[in-house]
Amino acid sequence: MMKKIQQNLFNTWYNSLLTLISLWLIYWISFSLISWGFTQAEWGVLQANLRLFFLGRYPVDLLWRPWTILGIIMGLGTLSWRLRKGKILIWFLGFLVISWLLTGGLFLETVKLDDLGGLVLTLLTALVSIVLSFPFGVLLALGRQSNLPVIRWLSIGYIELIRGLPLIGILFMAQVMVPLVLPPDIRPDRVVRAICGLTMFSAAYLAENVRGGLQSIPKGQTEAAKALGLSTPLVLALIILPQALKAVIPTIVGQFISLFKDTSLLAIVGLVELLGISQSILANPKFLGRYGEVYLFIALIYWIFCYSMSLGSKKFEQQL
Amino acid sequence: MLNQLNGKTLLLAMILVVTTLSGCGSNESNNTINNSSRLDTVKSRGTLVCGVYGNLPGFSFVDESGEYSGIDADLCRGIAAALFDDPDKIQFRNLSAQERFAAVKSGEVDLLSRNTTWTISRDTSVGLEFAPTIFYDGQGMMVKKASGAKELADLNNKSICVQSGTTTELNLADQMNKRGINYTPVVFENPDALYAAYEQGRCEGATSDRSALIARRASLPQPDDHVVLDVVMSKEPLAPAVANGDSTWSDTIKWITYALIQAEEFGITQENLSSFENSNDPSIKRFLGLEGNLGEDMGLPKDFAARVIKHVGNYGEIYQRNIGEPLGLERGPNKLWTNGGLLYSPPFR
């Protein structure tokens, strides 16, 4: 043990110096952070606003619905851990039930999408955009490889146009330009507009990721499949896409993680997702100046979700 | 829900792509809808959509119970109370500084109650119609008491923390140039970072709107070590606004705002409102809708002013609840004209 330490950390004079400096830095940072956490920080701001952070302004008398949803998600989690088949179907049905519980309609009191906020809104926008952008992305990637010039040029045009625009620009277009162009009666909710913006953006990047996977499949496979008499859709669905998508799972998940974090940009266009509601909480005269506590807390929440996404994708890859 | 969303999203995605590609050429189709006043739209909808900032202490923020609080939010409540006799028939919408004017003009929100400074360009070329000012603010300067500074000239050759990209930064430069004072601006994007830097002593003074400075001062570890100087460097009359070209609706907002001020002048409060029902004063009777039909003539209920007071109180009460008590800011210019302030309501008759 001692030998290992000496070999790796103190083998030359400059390495010893580096080790000492790093140790001192680690000690200093963690000590000041911990002493701040115990002496100066006032964590009451989190306790008092816990419901706001997680649910935003969700009506208080309907709180049983988010709790039920949490139960459903946990149940689905354990179920899909046990089950071998039908996971996707279960999650799809679960998603329908969850969105019904969350927003109401059909025997339940409706909750306006605008009243959602905090973590729920972050998760909703991220999840729906992820689910929607995946098929769009795959279609765009296929379109870009297509032999039909119109489809190919349209796909290329879309991908290059969207990739050439900053996400915040697209979000501003969705929130500010759409109302100017569309009359009020067919104007969608601003949450829906945000989801559209995120989906459009993410789909273009996803298409390029998927194209990487498609190009990694040798041409001989297509030719062999065609020689066996498979039609083009079958070649894609059975031979090409399964291999191509498997090859690009890490980059796709990376794209989804960054999409999840990009939802914080919605705070700039006035939606009260996790960051937006935090800024509003910080404007409460009772909690002025408590930004350290609040921002650390939401950073922790973001980290937990992003890290579990990357853990989940690792497990998913091993299973395939 | 998914199916619906999916369909909508697909449609919208296509529309968005089309509009992105073709540019937005068709503005003519917009103008065909506006034959009736927004007052009728709001009444038939049954809720008021109110654009607020949502992140400003004392003006609009979400409190612990999840309700919008602040003077801007209470003005919205007052208008909902006048129209529906229910201050909760309201939908708040957070607006960023960039999208606020577009949101009013496109009809996304019925009313902008978002600490917006009334200026000539916003009133004319931007195309807004401003209701009376509900808060007279002005730019101030906060310094440490130990520095002994009493006026701007004492800050010669000192550094001053200021938020970038705001009129505050420009006003500071104007005022200092006018007085021939040398200073080093230390510029921040985010107000939290600004006051953290000031607290750590990276600059001798911090400048912002006086209401903001006083709120921030209260949140510093030792508030008594800091003073907000008496100097006022700019005029910031904060007023609610609606879109141009709908005078029925802008009159509604204007007179409901005046009703708050007039109620304070009459001394009518949320508590003593019922005692005025037997008042003999004809002007109070007219004001409360017990006599005449001032309200009905403008398309509102007869007792609109009484409803406003019943649900949100008069201007003084709103001020005290949102700014006076929590932020410790004195009324200053926001006193009634009878007390030497600037608040003055034209007569209700």
Side-chain angles (χ1 to χ4, degrees), chain A residues 49 51-52 57 92 95 114 176-177 180 187 190 193 196 200 268-270 272 280 283-286 288 291, chain B residues 1-2 12 16 24 30 54-55 57 61-66 91 93-94 96 99 102 106 108 192 196 215 219:
Chain A
N49 295 298
R51 184 165 62 84
L52 283 180
R57 299 178 59 240
F92 180 69
F95 181 71
D114 272 341
V176 182
M177 294 293 292
L180 289 176
R187 191 183 293 161
R190 64 197 325 227
R193 298 202 306 251
C196 292
M200 283 170 63
I268 299 176
V269 290
V272 281
S280 196
N284 188 333
K286 283 184 206 153
L288 270 184
Y291 39 88
Chain B
M1 186 199 138
L2 184 91
L12 193 87
L16 266 179
C24 23
N30 241 0
N55 297 338
F61 60 92
V62 180
D63 67 10
E64 307 98 290
S65 59
Q91 206 185 328
R93 186 156 294 185
N94 281 16
S96 61
E99 66 178 328
S106 65
E108 276 276 279
D192 282 335
S219 76

Side-chain angles (χ1 to χ4, degrees), chain B residues 137-140 167-168 171 175 209 231-237:
Chain B
D137 213 337
Q139 190 175 336
T167 46
T168 316
N171 287 335
Q175 292 287 334
D209 284 351
V231 63
V232 177
M233 289 187 264
S234 71
K235 292 189 283 189
E236 310 280 349

Side-chain angles (χ1 to χ4, degrees), chain A residues 58 62 64-66 68-69 72-73 91-113 116 120 124 127-128, chain B residues 1-5:
Chain A
Y58 203 81
L62 300 179
W64 62 271
R65 277 152 62 167
T68 321
I69 290 171
I72 292 176
I73 292 177
W91 277 103
F92 180 69
L93 289 178
F95 181 71
L96 287 186
V97 175
I98 287 171
S99 30
W100 170 59
L101 276 174
L102 198 62
T103 54
L106 276 186
F107 313 118
L108 280 181
E109 196 185 326
T110 42
V111 176
K112 283 223 169 83
L113 274 178
L116 294 181
V120 173
L124 183 83
L127 212 73
V128 177
Chain B
M1 186 199 138
L2 184 91
N3 287 332
Q4 201 189 349
L5 202 68

Side-chain angles (χ1 to χ4, degrees), chain B residues 56 58-61 68-75 77 318 322:
Chain B
L56 191 64
F59 288 84
S60 56
F61 60 92
Y68 272 88
S69 271
I71 195 170
D72 282 348
D74 273 352
L75 179 79
R77 287 212 175 82
I318 294 176
N322 294 306

Side-chain angles (χ1 to χ4, degrees), chain B residues 133 136 261 332-345:
Chain B
T133 304
Y136 289 94
I261 297 168
N334 296 298
K335 284 194 282 242
L336 289 182
W337 64 285
T338 46
N339 299 334
L342 294 172
L343 297 182
Y344 182 98
S345 162

Side-chain angles (χ1 to χ4, degrees), chain A residues 127-201:
Chain A
L127 212 73
V128 177
S129 316
I130 284 172
V131 170
L132 289 179
S133 64
F134 185 71
F136 281 126
V138 172
L139 282 180
L140 280 169
L142 294 174
R144 190 163 185 171
Q145 305 249 303
S146 167
N147 292 327
L148 306 168
V150 177
I151 293 182
R152 187 169 68 240
W153 286 113
L154 275 180
S155 301
I156 291 178
Y158 176 86
I159 291 171
E160 296 306 336
L161 180 76
I162 298 292
R163 290 208 310 165
L165 293 172
L167 176 55
I168 189 70
I170 294 178
L171 292 177
F172 266 117
M173 286 266 288
Q175 300 297 347
V176 182
M177 294 293 292
V178 168
L180 289 176
V181 183
L182 292 183
D185 37 337
I186 61 160
R187 191 183 293 161
D189 222 290
R190 64 197 325 227
V191 176
V192 177
R193 298 202 306 251
I195 289 173
C196 292
L198 289 171
T199 305
M200 283 170 63
F201 184 78

